[in-house]
Amino acid sequence: MNLSILYRGALSSCNYGCGYCPFAKKVETKAEHEHDRVQLDAFVNRVAELSHRTISIFFTPWGEALIHPRYQRAIVALTHMPHVNKVAIQTNLSCSLRWIDNCEVSKLGLWATYHPGETVQDQFVGTCLSLDKMQVRYSVGIVGLKEHFNAITEIRKALHPNVYLWINAYKRVSDYYCESDRRFLESIDPLFSFNNNYHDSIGRACRCGDTVISVDGSGDIRRCHFIPDVVGNLYADNFEGALRATPCTAAKCGCHIGYVHMNDLPLYDVFGAGVLERIPETT
Ligand code: SF4
Ligand code: SF4
């Protein structure tokens, strides 16, 4: 059975400084980077040992990971493991793309976010066009701030029509969008309404904790990034004994990387094999 692992290690720094970023505000020391590298290498080695399962990996760092060669190397190595069928990562796409030449590119998926205040559109789109030539699967997203609406229109025109452009709803301010805002955003991202919502989740079935888990740098397993209880450790021989289907214990689930795994939402059908990197099956 497939096991999807959402890995979030100790990394918590970024080369960008987005005002809406809830994390990545730290400058890490050399020792902290080294600590992250040691844990990341251990994770890659552990995944190599789990060859009795089909594994999908999704890196969801609290910062930008792909500017660090250790993450590039980890992804290259993971894509070459026969039992790993997908390696996806959230990125601002500011890194060089040379490392991708060493990947098994059919297994790579990029969740790329465009941050208009931190990069220029031509540069970001140029990188996307390079990914097209390299046949890398990727989605592009943007935070749906009203001041981004022009950038949303422009980047939609600039990207290949087959590239899915998702909008993350800005939900920190209640009733932020009026009806015409919603119509505009849904015209760009037909799935916007799923994101512009905190889904009631308590007591409902979710694949997290069973076929999807969150793992931190020390190997501690949580069912997802949003429920803090540790249910096991990836480095324990019997960690799979702790994996089982249980109802969600959180009141609401409002982040794509969580609610996409809820059993009674139709999103596994929508995204299919692109569920981690947020690429609908139809693109
Ligand atoms: S690129 Fe992402 S991680 Fe970096 S500051 Fe912006 S939102 Fe935060
Ligand atoms: S519904 Fe959301 S909060 Fe609940 S287990 Fe799933 S991902 Fe976690």
Side-chain angles (χ1 to χ4, degrees):
M1 188 190 291
N2 191 78
L3 178 65
S4 295
I5 304 176
L6 278 57
Y7 181 84
R8 179 175 286 161
L11 183 83
S12 55
S13 58
C14 186
N15 56 334
Y16 286 5
C18 309
Y20 44 79
C21 181
F23 34 75
K25 301 295 184 196
K26 221 176 126 191
V27 177
E28 288 167 306
T29 64
K30 208 171 159 190
E32 286 170 322
H33 279 294
E34 178 59 10
H35 173 66
D36 183 55
R37 183 196 65 76
V38 168
Q39 291 192 325
L40 177 63
D41 287 352
F43 173 70
V44 172
N45 291 336
R46 182 61 172 142
V47 172
E49 291 172 355
L50 303 176
S51 57
H52 59 288
R53 290 195 82 136
T54 303
I55 308 263
S56 306
I57 313 284
F58 185 24
F59 290 97
T60 58
W62 263 341
E64 178 55 37
L66 281 182
I67 53 174
H68 301 292
R70 62 183 181 273
Y71 279 90
Q72 300 171 3
R73 285 194 302 268
I75 292 173
V76 169
L78 288 163
T79 63
H80 286 286
M81 293 181 191
H83 64 294
V84 171
N85 67 355
K86 174 63 59 72
V87 187
I89 184 166
Q90 295 178 315
T91 176
N92 62 24
L93 221 51
S94 60
C95 64
S96 149
L97 303 183
R98 283 192 297 273
W99 60 278
I100 294 177
D101 289 338
N102 296 321
C103 285
E104 171 48 61
V105 84
S106 65
K107 298 185 186 179
L108 181 64
L110 299 180
W111 159 310
T113 308
Y114 173 47
H115 300 285
E118 302 294 314
T119 185
V120 290
Q121 182 187 301
D122 285 354
Q123 191 177 328
F124 185 87
V125 171
T127 306
C128 292
L129 297 178
S130 298
L131 293 175
D132 290 337
K133 283 192 196 130
M134 299 165 88
Q135 299 188 303
V136 176
R137 282 169 52 79
Y138 64 97
S139 65
V140 170
I142 187 166
V143 177
L145 288 166
K146 295 186 191 192
E147 55 265 39
H148 286 173
F149 281 16
N150 286 342
I152 290 170
T153 302
E154 291 306 313
I155 199 153
R156 178 61 283 171
K157 282 191 221 153
L159 292 170
H160 190 285
N162 285 348
V163 172
Y164 174 52
L165 178 59
W166 46 264
I167 311 287
N168 265 0
Y170 190 72
K171 291 182 282 200
R172 282 185 226 169
V173 176
S174 56
D175 299 324
Y176 182 66
Y177 299 113
C178 66
E179 183 55 35
S180 71
D181 292 338
R182 281 193 293 275
R183 272 202 304 274
F184 165 66
L185 294 171
E186 280 166 14
S187 75
I188 300 288
D189 176 5
L191 301 172
F192 174 73
S193 63
F194 283 101
N195 193 263
N196 190 29
N197 193 359
Y198 289 100
H199 300 269
D200 290 328
S201 54
I202 196 160
R204 288 171 68 180
C206 178
R207 297 169 182 90
C208 290
D210 183 14
T211 57
V212 183
I213 54 173
S214 155
V215 170
D216 70 14
S218 67
D220 278 346
I221 299 171
R222 295 169 178 81
R223 66 179 302 171
C224 65
H225 286 331
F226 312 104
I227 296 180
D229 308 315
V230 174
V231 298
N233 189 282
L234 192 70
Y235 300 104
D237 289 339
N238 60 350
F239 81 91
E240 286 164 292
L243 308 186
R244 59 181 64 91
T246 50
C248 175
T249 55
K252 304 268 182 189
C253 192
C255 187
H256 175 92
I257 61 174
Y259 66 70
V260 75
H261 303 294
M262 291 176 72
N263 296 58
D264 55 8
L265 293 182
L267 297 173
Y268 266 44
D269 291 336
V270 171
F271 287 96
V275 72
L276 296 181
E277 66 272 37
R278 204 169 176 172
I279 301 178
E281 191 98 294
T282 47
T283 60

